[in-house]
Amino acid sequence: MARINLEQLSTFLAVVRLGGVRRAATSLNLTQPAVTARIKNLEDNLDCELFDRTQSGMKLTKRGELLLGHAEKYEHLTQLVERDLVDPAGVEGRLRLGASETIAQCWLPDLVTRLHQLFPKLEIELVVDISANLRAGLMDRELDLAILLGPLSEFSVNNVELPDFELAWYAAADTSSEAIAASYLSRPVLTYPRNTRPYRELKEKLFEQAGPNFSLFPSSSLSACFRLVEADLGVAVLPRALGREYVLAGRIREFDPGWVPAPLRFTICYMGEPKSQLIETAAHMAREVAVDYHGDKNNL
């Protein structure tokens, strides 16, 4: 009788869904030879070939297609067992979590704390990057969960909406709001890095207001933007949630030039397959943390 184990079936499903050994290895945190060995052992145990291997890729054989249906049923049963019976305190493994800097500066530490409390043996790998890179990492299965400017219009991706981040204009604390509002476009405007949606939308808005007569200074560090504003080296359009502590400390001030870009809309994104109780729990926990964070800020 053929002897099959969970590792072999999960590896088989990963190769099928991701279209090859390389992506499956990345998703499973294995080497490519290890993935190849598991598939070979599975074929030896079943005494049949599961894939036709050609220069264009790997295609399921008829027996491979039969196994796929059984493997998906087995995977679903395993997920039910994990959901209903496994103690979260005993869950081991790795969660590859990607987030935009706005999230990292706000409530990401609270999320990591809660995840560690629920899954004390879980290894959490953090990546902070722009949304475009996070999207690529998620689609390439290099990330399990991505918190980015979304949603992602991909059929394979689940999106969980988050509360919006309002943007505001900031200037040095010792400058009057009236003076800044009258001449703010003569100053460098500090904001999000290039190749991001906030940068592009702000650039379009500034062009509507002043034509080409403005200086837009992108930065990969939002905290650096606030320090430059504090030093009176420019004005900035940044999230109010991040600027509030600087304003309360008297280091910078808000001003109103009569317009502000639309709020930033972030989304928690993760792949729909294979289903993972751990990833779904982390996604819903992230939303709870985000809602609590925005509620606390709005009550200040």
Side-chain angles (χ1 to χ4, degrees), residues 190-215:
L190 305 156
T191 193
Y192 280 80
R194 298 180 188 274
N195 302 320
T196 66
R197 187 188 305 170
Y199 173 88
R200 174 174 52 81
E201 292 179 352
L202 177 60
K203 185 176 181 180
E204 292 172 356
K205 279 285 190 179
L206 287 171
F207 193 84
E208 291 175 6
Q209 298 292 320
N213 300 317
F214 62 87
S215 297

Side-chain angles (χ1 to χ4, degrees), residues 23-290:
R23 287 190 173 185
T26 299
S27 177
L28 297 171
N29 194 29
L30 295 170
T31 64
Q32 292 186 41
V35 171
T36 300
R38 286 187 182 182
I39 296 299
K40 182 63 168 59
N41 289 336
L42 180 59
E43 290 179 323
D44 289 345
N45 289 337
L46 294 173
D47 195 24
C48 68
E49 290 191 355
L50 301 172
F51 294 95
D52 285 326
R53 295 161 174 84
T54 66
Q55 290 184 347
S56 60
M58 300 174 66
K59 182 180 179 181
L60 285 173
T61 62
K62 289 185 178 180
R63 287 185 178 274
E65 290 175 355
L66 286 173
L67 178 62
L68 177 60
H70 292 299
E72 288 176 336
K73 293 176 184 178
Y74 200 54
E75 178 187 56
H76 181 64
L77 178 60
T78 302
Q79 291 162 358
L80 292 177
V81 171
E82 290 178 353
R83 185 193 67 187
D84 297 336
L85 299 178
V86 174
D87 182 358
V91 171
E92 297 184 17
R94 181 180 61 148
L95 178 69
R96 300 167 301 175
L97 174 60
S100 297
E101 192 193 358
T102 303
I103 304 301
Q105 295 272 354
C106 294
W107 49 262
L108 184 62
D110 295 335
L111 172 61
V112 173
T113 298
R114 290 198 194 182
L115 285 170
H116 272 307
Q117 290 173 345
L118 182 61
F119 304 109
K121 295 184 179 180
L122 181 66
E123 176 188 349
I124 301 176
E125 180 179 305
L126 294 177
V127 175
V128 178
D129 208 335
I130 63 174
S131 291
N133 293 342
L134 295 175
R135 178 194 179 282
L138 182 69
M139 299 308 297
D140 288 341
R141 306 281 180 156
E142 295 172 357
L143 293 174
D144 300 311
L145 197 69
I147 308 171
L148 45 71
L149 287 166
L152 298 185
S153 56
E154 301 281 351
F155 77 94
S156 57
V157 174
N158 291 332
N159 294 286
V160 179
E161 294 184 359
L162 295 173
D164 293 349
F165 278 88
E166 292 184 352
L167 296 173
W169 284 92
Y170 294 101
D174 58 357
T175 308
S176 72
S177 296
E178 295 77 12
I180 282 293
S183 62
Y184 72 102
L185 289 181
S186 65
R187 310 290 306 281
V189 179
L190 305 156
T191 193
Y192 280 80
R194 298 180 188 274
N195 302 320
T196 66
R197 187 188 305 170
Y199 173 88
R200 174 174 52 81
E201 292 179 352
L202 177 60
K203 185 176 181 180
E204 292 172 356
K205 279 285 190 179
L206 287 171
F207 193 84
E208 291 175 6
Q209 298 292 320
N213 300 317
F214 62 87
S215 297
L216 191 56
F217 285 17
S219 173
S220 59
S221 171
L222 301 185
S223 57
C225 286
F226 282 113
R227 292 196 295 271
L228 292 172
V229 170
E230 184 179 359
D232 198 23
L233 296 177
V235 296
V237 181
L238 296 167
R240 179 172 279 123
L242 294 180
R244 185 176 284 109
E245 63 179 273
Y246 292 90
V247 173
L248 292 175
R251 298 166 60 183
I252 61 175
R253 66 181 305 159
E254 282 193 35
F255 71 95
D256 182 11
W259 68 278
V260 67
L264 304 180
R265 296 186 173 180
F266 286 90
T267 307
I268 305 164
C269 304
Y270 60 97
M271 305 304 292
E273 288 188 343
K275 289 179 65 66
S276 167
Q277 186 66 25
L278 170 63
I279 294 174
E280 290 185 1
T281 298
H284 291 294
M285 184 178 292
R287 174 165 172 76
E288 292 174 2
V289 171

